[in-house]
Amino acid sequence: MRIETEIKGKFTSKNETEMVSFVAKKEDGRNWAAPLKLVSKGTGGDISVGLAVCLEISGDFIKSVQKNRHQPVKADSVPNTHPTVLPYGFVPIDIKHAVTDEPVWHDGSGNGDLLSGEILCELEALTPVLPGNVRYQAQNANQPDLQRWGFGEISPEKQIAEPLRLPDGRVVIAGSALKGMIRQSLGALTSAPMERVGERHFTYRPNLDFNKFGIKERYVVRPARVVAARDGGWDIEVFDDARRAVQFVRQGDNPPSQTTYRRVTYKGGIDGEGLLAEAFNPRSRTYPDAFVPQKAGLQLHLPAELYQRYLDDQRKVLSDDEIGHLTAHPNSKNFKVGVGEVAAAIRQHADFSPNQLIYVELTTDSQSRVTQQSKVVSCGHHFRYRWAYTSSIREQNGQLRACLTPLADERTAGKPERLTGARLLFGYVRDDKTNPVGKDVFERLAGRIAINHAVSDGTPRFLGDPARGYCIPLKILGQPKPSAWEFYLQQPTDSKNPLNTYGDLPGDSGGELAGRKFYRHQPSTKQSDITASDTDIINSDQATLARFVCDSGTRFRFSIRFARLRLWELGALLAVLEPHLLADGGKEDDYAHKLGLGRPLGMGSVRITRKAVRIRTEKEGAFLDDSAQDSLLKEALQVLQERLNDDQVQPWLSAHRIVKGQRLGYPLAETKVDGKRVQTIYAWHTNEVRRPYSQLRRQQSPDWSDLAGKIRSKR
């Protein structure tokens, strides 16, 4: 097994051997310790107090010591060093309150006096804006220019982003970008099912952390020896101690006494060959064999259904590089072989065989003991095995999630009877898997809203130095990942209830998606808030090199043309453009949208103002005069509000509201790497959430309040 810890100090043993002690303690309360010579070999001679190390343990002895290879996220690679809440939030989806109506076809049919016209809009940048219409790698840039600007050492794969600019210097925001922003907001307001949500299936480690305080557990992880196949499953021998019962040896090591231990085969690491482990730490090696006690605690049966679930996890999730564990794997650049070969190794080593060491998670009795009545609830072929969640992003209980499924009226045979808000106004294109709306000639419907490109008023004021090509090396964005179930899933309001994951064990379908994601506004964002200063970050391919970032105060103009809208649909369009219209006593300055790159850093806050409107009815044909138009606009908003549920409107308003003085950023926790104390996102998710959750989920009477409160404070 492995223990991540830190060097505590040096001392001399009774036999005058120089030793190094570690912060981690054994079960008897004594600190782990190893000979100075062994420690120096693994750390390159660095034995400084506080150095983060990884101990490899065999029985009661330390076999090797290595520096902890978890790399920190440097101080300027995240939006704020001491954030209070996430830079993003969610607007939940309540399908019961989805606003729907009959489609308006483009053949002239339709009931009522429909409305057509044009809205002239002004868009103002409240924080720096980069509509990255043009993106390319540094290796495709003009190299003499990069040298002259001081970026000649950046990675060839570093992304460069800049806006589309007209010959006279004006900047253009693509109409498609504006459409995406408005459609997202409209879908949230009308509680429409989400569209274009990608699939991912995540895994977790059931025994990520141990019971350190003797608390009674309903589940425990134990080592086991595979005995023989039976009824599609396996008979197994279970041993008493998850950490001390097994001794691992490498080639050349002296095996333990054969009178008390016996040799078993072992498939170390996810892939059974150590390919992933070596990509994480080049010095890692997996054990091909292990030794277990001659006498087992008891014999149990691993049923066929659970074994098949284990095989499915290996072959359909862990070895999958499209939606599973290998998808965009963070260490893929360090693979010594291709992703396909890693996947093949995972599948090849999946099957159990007699005399193999595996690890099983078992139910216990009321005294937290493993008995003959204990059941196997999860299993794996290595110590920190991964187990797939029962649900994925898109599916729950084997079915597409309701918040991603078009409503029944949208999926009727042939012509859909009704459509939800976003499809009503912006149209749809059928996709059998993700958007099964309409059949035959009704598989496509053009929208009734057209948005022009937005063009700046003159040449904007750009951030940066013209002598350096107006280049701004952005900080690392700290991309949000939906594997963070603590944020991407709805969590119980009562902290006494268990937290929701994607479903830990069979029978647990997991929580509901939190909803549509919106980035929060940081109105005081300045150039220094978004610019990386660390040379390693600037030269790496982890963050974008931005050019021609428009400073706050830049104004753009664009127009929206709409055709044959109902009164409430016009009201919805007006409300989305200017959210304060739906807030009691709301002020225009209190609300905004997000657009472009760098949104987690505070970039991209924009406000849309309606400057002029022209509307005509189908019945009259001519444009309305000012008085009639003003009355109609007020009525449109009133009709819309009659269709909306206030429980949905308030979260939507919150997503667009500007909260001054709010500190935003990804949560960080302190850890030590190479002897230095650093703040990392990884440490927060692992040490502050995953480890305590791993203990709580196994306890018989868990107290969820502390962990739930910690998560709630960041949401």
Side-chain angles (χ1 to χ4, degrees), residues 315-596:
R315 296 167 179 168
K316 298 179 181 180
V317 182
L318 287 170
S319 62
D320 189 285
D321 63 353
E322 293 185 356
I323 66 168
H325 184 68
L326 295 181
T327 305
H329 196 280
N331 295 320
S332 59
K333 290 185 178 181
N334 299 328
F335 288 172
K336 292 183 177 180
V337 297
V339 174
E341 292 177 76
V342 175
I346 294 174
R347 293 190 292 269
Q348 177 184 344
H349 293 284
D351 295 300
F352 290 169
S353 59
N355 201 44
Q356 177 185 342
L357 172 65
I358 63 173
Y359 286 83
V360 293
E361 187 175 22
L362 304 165
T363 59
T364 65
D365 65 8
S366 61
Q367 299 302 311
S368 195
R369 296 172 301 196
V370 176
T371 68
Q372 206 64 49
Q373 284 69 47
S374 294
K375 305 295 183 184
V376 182
V377 294
S378 74
C379 62
H381 63 70
H382 64 108
F383 179 59
R384 293 249 179 179
Y385 65 91
R386 284 191 171 275
W387 189 252
Y389 290 113
T390 61
S391 298
S392 64
I393 291 180
R394 292 188 57 81
E395 292 189 353
Q396 189 177 35
N397 291 323
Q399 303 292 325
L400 188 65
R401 291 180 182 271
C403 63
L404 305 178
T405 305
L407 302 186
D409 288 343
E410 297 181 291
R411 292 179 281 117
T412 53
K415 181 168 62 174
E417 295 179 1
R418 301 180 74 84
L419 293 173
T420 47
R423 294 188 181 100
L424 270 173
L425 272 67
F426 291 97
Y428 64 83
V429 176
R430 179 185 176 86
D431 182 281
D432 290 340
K433 291 184 177 180
T434 62
N435 193 39
V437 177
K439 281 271 192 172
D440 302 324
V441 297
F442 299 102
E443 291 184 356
R444 295 171 180 264
L445 177 64
R448 290 175 284 146
I449 294 178
I451 304 176
N452 287 348
H453 298 330
V455 181
S456 64
D457 289 345
T459 302
R461 182 175 66 252
F462 299 119
L463 298 186
D465 186 349
R468 302 193 70 193
Y470 291 110
C471 292
I472 302 293
L474 298 181
K475 296 178 180 180
I476 296 175
L477 299 183
Q479 179 182 0
K481 297 180 179 180
S483 57
W485 46 260
E486 57 267 37
F487 299 141
Y488 276 75
L489 297 181
Q490 296 179 28
Q491 297 300 336
T493 55
D494 187 344
S495 59
K496 295 180 181 180
N497 293 327
L499 293 169
N500 291 323
T501 68
Y502 287 98
D504 294 343
L505 298 172
D508 174 12
S509 60
E512 300 291 341
L513 297 184
R516 283 181 172 83
K517 183 174 66 186
F518 285 82
Y519 284 95
R520 294 179 169 124
H521 298 287
Q522 304 175 53
S524 60
T525 301
K526 304 180 296 295
Q527 180 175 332
S528 59
D529 298 320
I530 67 175
T531 305
S533 58
D534 186 273
T535 302
D536 291 341
I537 299 297
I538 294 173
N539 290 336
S540 76
D541 62 357
Q542 294 179 278
T544 298
L545 180 63
R547 297 190 65 210
F548 302 108
V549 177
C550 301
D551 199 359
S552 56
T554 303
R555 285 179 166 79
F556 299 81
R557 298 186 185 277
F558 68 98
S559 64
I560 300 176
R561 292 183 174 85
F562 56 90
R564 310 187 72 227
L565 298 187
R566 300 181 179 91
L567 195 57
W568 77 264
E569 293 173 330
L570 176 60
L573 178 58
L574 296 173
V576 166
L577 294 177
E578 299 179 303
H580 72 280
L581 296 175
L582 291 184
D584 291 337
K587 299 178 181 178
E588 181 182 12
D589 292 349
D590 293 338
Y591 298 89
H593 293 277
K594 277 281 194 175
L595 178 73

Side-chain angles (χ1 to χ4, degrees), residues 237-288:
E237 293 179 337
V238 179
F239 302 97
D240 292 333
D241 194 306
R243 289 181 284 179
R244 302 172 70 96
V246 180
Q247 292 201 24
F248 294 98
V249 296
R250 289 201 174 100
Q251 188 174 3
D253 292 341
N254 293 323
S257 170
Q258 299 294 308
T259 60
T260 55
Y261 285 88
R262 48 186 161 165
R263 184 186 296 268
V264 291
T265 60
Y266 180 64
K267 299 177 181 180
I270 293 174
D271 51 74
E273 299 178 11
L275 300 174
L276 287 171
E278 288 182 39
F280 174 70
N281 183 349
R283 302 180 65 175
S284 294
R285 297 293 183 271
T286 55
Y287 298 102

